[in-house]
């Protein structure tokens, strides 16, 4: 077999392959054997029909077609390996010449990974938010904890902001009560915004036993997105009572004996959270700078496939679970269809470029993924998917997705290498030392950052 490669553009090539006919022998033998098992000829046992009889009865062309279909994938793969190509997707194959007993010639056009030159990235500089925890941050955190330990007690008065009301709801569309439009005994905190638009104004001022009617757009159910006439009846009004802000509260809500100890712990936790956010921000901005330094052509077919995948996942998974159509989602987001298309294309381009660049970095830096790193990554992915680690691992193995997970971890390590080489300062001009974190944690965060750039980023 002889093959040659013609570069059509930076992301597409044409392979020209010439195969001497004798190299088709195994495929021809397999073709005769397959046809033998499929047909019957009077006077011959099944599977024992001579080749010349098959040629006479069914035509040599049918045998050649079967043999070529069997052989093409093997010769295509050999040509790809010989040329050291990294194909993307399926090739467009065209048989240019087939002479019985002489030769098989064909061409195969396929998208390939573009050559990516990684420049010196040690000069990358980015600016991030400083890690600053104010007294106000601490007070807000403690106040949120107080909210969690609030108690309620029924009151004989009209409902006010912050009260917890027990309500019955009935929704009508076009004058008809919906089958799934009745709910009784619903507990709702006025001002929380957790139910329907307009319900706060409707229930405020109502006492137990009173009702009101208002119009609102339904957020879910059989009539999601439609305007409904909603009747709300208050069956109980309860006032929320916050515990006192003292040592007794600290003992109730935590393992600490004093309020000061609780506040100190809150300050420490907030600082840790802000450090994590700062590291994530650094990784995102370093990645942006790196992508600016590298010229990465994107295969058009791969890009279109990625765009379609993102749209499908958004419409049929994310929005479907929320009971929203794409049009309704765009209305809520305040975006036009054209803006959505533009943003989706930009996100897809960034995702593809990120993968190409980080994969090249993995090769350049000779980065490997060990079993421990893969297991830790699998545990994080399982947690985010809502599955147990065993369930997630089984799904990954059965779906043949292990190489994808290995790639995610490797790309995370590659990004961590670039972040380590970059200069990161906060907005106060202070150098940020990200080496304070455990190396594994940095790689994990970087992996999540690189995944976020590759995965759905609509909105």
């Amino acid at each position: 077999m002889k093959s040659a490669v013609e570069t059509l553009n930076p992301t597409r090539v044409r392979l020209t392959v010439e195969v001497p006919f004798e190299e088709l022998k195994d495929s021809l033998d397999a073709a005769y054997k397959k046809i033998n098992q499929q047909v019957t000829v009077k006077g011959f046992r099944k599977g024992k029909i001579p080749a010349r009889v098959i040629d006479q009865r069914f035509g040599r062309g049918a045998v050649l077609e079967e043999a070529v279909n069997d052989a093409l994938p093997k010769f295509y793969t050999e040509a790809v390996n010989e040329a050291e190509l990294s194909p993307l997707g399926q090739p467009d194959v065209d048989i240019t010449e087939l002479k019985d007993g002489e030769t098989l010639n064909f061409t195969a056009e396929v998208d390939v990974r573009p050559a990516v030159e990684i420049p010196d990235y040690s000069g990358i500089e980015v600016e991030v938010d400083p890690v600053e925890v104010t007294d106000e941050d601490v007070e807000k955190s403690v106040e949120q904890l107080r909210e969690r330990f609030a108690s309620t007690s029924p009151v004989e008065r009209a409902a006010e902001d912050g009260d917890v009301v027990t309500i019955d709801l009935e929704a009508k569309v076009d004058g008809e009560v919906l089958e799934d439009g009745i709910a009784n005994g619903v507990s709702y905190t006025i001002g929380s915004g957790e139910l329907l638009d307009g319900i706060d104004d409707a229930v405020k001022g109502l006492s137990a036993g009173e009702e009101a009617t208002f119009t609102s757009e339904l957020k879910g159910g059989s009539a999601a997105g439609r305007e409904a006439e909603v009747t709300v009846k208050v069956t109980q009004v309860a006032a929320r009572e916050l515990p006192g802000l003292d040592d007794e509260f600290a003992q109730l809500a935590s393992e600490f004996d004093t309020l000061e100890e609780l506040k100190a712990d809150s300050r420490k936790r907030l600082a840790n959270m802000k450090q994590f956010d700062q590291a994530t921000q650094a990784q995102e901005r370093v990645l942006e700078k790196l992508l600016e330094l590298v010229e990465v052509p994107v295969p058009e077919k791969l890009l279109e496939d990625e765009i379609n995948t993102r749209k499908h996942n958004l419409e049929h998974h994310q929005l479907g679970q929320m009971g929203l159509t794409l049009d309704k989602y765009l209305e809520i987001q305040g975006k036009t269809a054209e803006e959505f298309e533009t943003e989706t294309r930009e996100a897809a381009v960034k995702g593809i470029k990120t993968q190409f660049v980080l994969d090249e970095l993995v090769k350049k830096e000779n980065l490997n993924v060990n079993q421990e790193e893969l297991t830790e990554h699998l545990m994080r992915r399982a947690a985010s998917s809502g599955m147990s680690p065993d369930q997630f691992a089984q799904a990954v193995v059965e779906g043949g997705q292990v190489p994808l997970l290995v790639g995610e971890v490797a790309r995370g390590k590659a990004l961590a290498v670039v972040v380590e080489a970059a200069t990161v300062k906060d907005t106060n001009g202070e150098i940020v030392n990200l080496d304070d974190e455990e190396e594994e944690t940095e790689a994990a965060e970087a992996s999540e950052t690189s995944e976020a750039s590759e995965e759905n980023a609509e909105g």
Side-chain angles (χ1 to χ4, degrees):
M1 184 196 82
K2 293 192 302 183
S3 64
V5 181
E6 177 188 357
T7 300
L8 303 178
N9 61 49
T11 63
R12 194 166 179 83
V13 299
R14 179 189 291 122
L15 284 163
T16 301
V17 184
E18 298 179 13
V19 183
F21 202 80
E22 56 266 23
E23 293 187 30
L24 286 172
K25 183 180 184 307
D26 289 345
S27 294
L28 277 169
D29 291 344
Y32 278 117
K33 185 174 181 180
K34 182 176 180 180
I35 294 173
N36 242 304
Q37 299 301 321
Q38 294 175 335
V39 302
T40 57
V41 175
K42 191 174 180 180
F44 296 95
R45 284 184 296 161
K46 196 174 187 68
K48 299 295 184 180
I49 308 169
R52 59 179 175 76
V53 175
I54 290 177
D55 289 346
Q56 291 168 358
R57 290 293 185 93
F58 306 102
R60 173 71 167 177
V63 180
L64 287 175
E65 182 179 356
E66 182 67 38
V68 169
N69 288 339
D70 175 75
L72 275 178
K74 180 185 70 172
F75 292 125
Y76 166 72
T77 300
E78 286 182 11
V80 164
N81 292 338
E82 187 177 286
E84 298 182 344
L85 300 175
S86 298
L88 301 167
Q90 295 300 311
D92 295 325
V93 177
D94 181 28
I95 297 173
T96 55
E97 187 176 23
L98 176 58
K99 289 184 177 180
D100 194 359
E102 294 184 27
T103 186
L104 163 67
N105 297 335
F106 69 91
T107 62
E109 288 190 17
V110 67
D111 286 333
V112 294
R113 277 181 177 261
V116 177
E117 284 291 329
I118 303 296
D120 178 13
Y121 47 78
S122 61
I124 290 179
E125 295 186 10
V126 297
E127 190 176 68
V128 295
D129 296 331
V131 174
E132 295 176 344
V133 180
T134 65
D135 290 343
E136 183 181 349
D137 293 332
V138 175
E139 295 300 332
K140 183 179 178 181
S141 175
V142 173
E143 195 62 28
Q144 288 172 343
L145 189 59
R146 284 182 76 202
E147 293 279 347
R148 288 172 50 194
F149 284 85
S151 60
T152 60
S153 57
V155 292
E156 299 295 328
R157 60 166 172 77
E160 301 172 354
D161 259 327
D163 285 344
V164 179
V165 290
T166 304
I167 55 177
D168 297 336
L169 294 165
E170 180 184 86
K172 293 181 180 179
V173 173
D174 298 332
E176 296 290 330
V177 178
L178 299 171
E179 287 187 15
D180 56 354
I182 297 176
N184 295 322
V186 177
S187 180
Y188 176 67
T189 301
I190 300 175
S192 66
E194 293 174 351
L195 281 177
L196 299 167
D197 293 338
I199 194 169
D200 288 336
D201 291 336
V203 296
K204 275 191 291 188
L206 297 183
S207 299
E210 296 180 335
E211 63 181 48
T213 300
F214 63 102
T215 300
S216 184
E217 184 179 292
L218 299 178
K219 296 181 179 179
S222 61
R226 298 185 64 185
E227 289 287 328
E229 183 182 82
V230 182
T231 299
V232 55
K233 180 179 180 179
V234 176
T235 59
Q236 179 181 277
V237 179
R240 298 177 75 250
E241 299 175 0
L242 296 175
L245 197 57
D246 50 27
D247 292 346
E248 187 176 339
F249 163 66
Q251 294 163 17
L252 169 70
S254 72
E255 71 271 30
F256 301 106
D257 294 327
T258 68
L259 182 61
E260 287 309 309
E261 288 175 325
L262 173 61
K263 287 184 176 181
D265 181 69
S266 294
R267 186 179 296 276
K268 181 179 178 182
R269 285 188 297 101
L270 289 169
N272 288 338
M273 289 170 57
K274 292 200 174 192
Q275 283 175 345
F276 182 89
D277 291 342
Q278 185 189 64
T280 301
Q281 190 179 63
Q283 289 150 6
E284 291 171 348
R285 294 183 178 178
V286 167
L287 178 59
E288 293 279 356
K289 290 280 190 179
L290 178 63
L291 294 180
E292 289 174 7
L293 292 175
V294 187
E295 187 67 34
V296 185
V298 176
E300 194 59 36
K301 177 66 167 57
L302 180 65
L303 176 58
E304 292 306 317
D305 288 346
E306 177 68 10
I307 290 171
N308 291 334
T309 297
R310 287 170 181 258
K311 288 180 180 177
H312 178 84
N313 289 341
L314 177 66
E315 285 193 69
H316 299 282
H317 297 294
Q318 295 163 264
L319 298 184
Q321 292 175 356
M322 295 186 286
L324 293 175
T325 64
L326 179 58
D327 289 342
K328 188 61 189 176
Y329 167 76
L330 294 180
E331 181 184 327
I332 293 171
Q333 294 290 314
K335 295 176 184 174
T336 65
E338 291 74 18
E339 289 171 333
F340 170 72
E341 290 287 339
T342 299
E343 289 181 5
T344 304
R345 175 171 285 268
E346 289 174 351
V349 168
K350 181 180 178 182
I352 293 170
K353 286 185 174 182
T354 296
Q355 184 168 338
F356 285 169
V357 170
L358 295 183
D359 283 348
E360 188 62 32
L361 261 169
V362 169
K363 289 194 295 183
K364 180 178 179 181
E365 301 291 344
N366 295 314
L367 300 176
N368 296 308
V369 176
N370 61 41
Q371 186 60 49
E372 183 180 355
E373 292 167 335
L374 182 59
T375 300
E376 289 177 357
H377 183 64
L378 187 146
M379 299 281 279
R380 286 192 300 272
R381 288 291 303 272
S384 64
S385 71
M387 299 170 68
S388 72
D390 287 345
Q391 289 174 325
F392 187 79
Q394 183 178 353
V396 166
V397 172
E398 290 178 354
Q401 304 296 302
V402 174
L404 293 181
L405 258 64
V406 172
E408 289 173 2
V409 178
R411 286 190 283 275
K413 294 181 72 171
L415 179 54
V417 168
V418 183
V419 173
E420 186 179 352
T423 300
V424 182
K425 294 181 180 180
D426 65 23
T427 52
N428 295 327
E430 297 292 328
I431 294 288
V432 176
N433 185 3
L434 298 174
D435 292 336
D436 289 342
E437 299 292 330
E438 289 290 333
E439 185 176 326
E440 291 83 357
T441 303
E442 290 179 8
E445 293 170 6
S447 176
E448 292 167 5
T449 300
S450 63
E451 285 171 47
S453 298
E454 297 166 35
E455 295 173 355
N456 290 343
E458 293 85 351

